[in-house]
Amino acid sequence: MVNTRRWPKPKAVAAVIFGACLIAFVIFDEPSYLDGDEAHRLRRSLSSGGEDNHHNNNSKSSMYPWARTSLRPVTTIPKPSKETFLFWHIPKSGGTFVKSIYRTLGKKTLVEPTPDSILQAEKMGLLAPGKVDIIFSSFPDVAVSHMYDSTHKGRVLALFRHPVDRLISKFYYLQKAGWEKTYRPEWKDMDILDWAKGPNKDNNHLVKKLAGKVQRHTATERDLRKAMRTIKQRFVVGLMDEMEESIHRFNAVMGIDESEEHNKMVMDLFFGNKVHKTNSNPHPKVEKGSPAWDLLAERNALDIRLYEYILGLFEEQREIIASHRTSFAMDQALKED
């Protein structure tokens, strides 16, 4: 008797095997990219030229010009075949895990963590529509300004983590990550409270990044308001604490059909048995209410307020993403007919 059972295509099997290998090494605690003066000079030109204060009575809460001009609204129905997606890679917030998933799904990815690498990719033509499916960058303003324009608008995805948890993870990761350029062996014998008081300069990271500011600069209430409006209107948000649901949402926006054989195998590989790790860099727990936790919270007050705002957006976007998923399913049904 002829065996009529359908087996996965060799390419699909190979991709899943590759993905399994990746899982063995995937970590949520990825390198922390540091800004410099050269990044600030480039980014400052992006935010200063389009201020709304002379044109909009609501300027204090308006979004950043680079986002308003070059990104599609969250509510706009995605057109995956015509869009290149940007993932804002926030250090220590699950970005490495997300990269592994989309590479295993067969998506063409490009990792451009710094402004210089973004400009180099642009010069080489790698940012042109259709060249890649998703670009990972730690500098959303620079990437958006050089990837997109008013005629070729993009869409941003981002995964967020509580700011204090992110910094705690960074402290313990970089003191032993000898393979990273930002390796800090001097932190090994340091108490985290002492680190929070002195060596740590990476405060209010989210608000500063969107404002085009570097670590030594101060984030303001106005920066926070603009960050809130920008993320609400233009960013598809995910949460590290809701990783699986976040990936399902990203897939819906990117038009990835999870019922397709290969895609289903990959999603099962990463999430089927809940094998994904919430933290692959074990470290001592820093309790909320402890001196170290409280100091980090105090110095990252704006980021915490932004994160709490994003928690609300995550719920608000549930229905929006569901409508996008329905639209995609209807389009697929029409194509099959």
Side-chain angles (χ1 to χ4, degrees), residues 83-101:
E83 295 183 13
T84 300
F85 296 88
L86 173 69
F87 183 89
W88 179 15
H89 188 162
I90 302 165
K92 305 291 169 291
S93 300
T96 296
F97 188 73
V98 174
K99 274 186 280 188
S100 297
I101 291 173

Side-chain angles (χ1 to χ4, degrees), residues 52-53 55-63 226 229:
D52 295 336
N53 27 341
H55 306 286
N56 188 343
N57 292 330
N58 196 29
S59 62
K60 290 185 178 180
S61 60
S62 61
M63 73 182 77
K226 291 175 79 72
R229 179 62 64 88

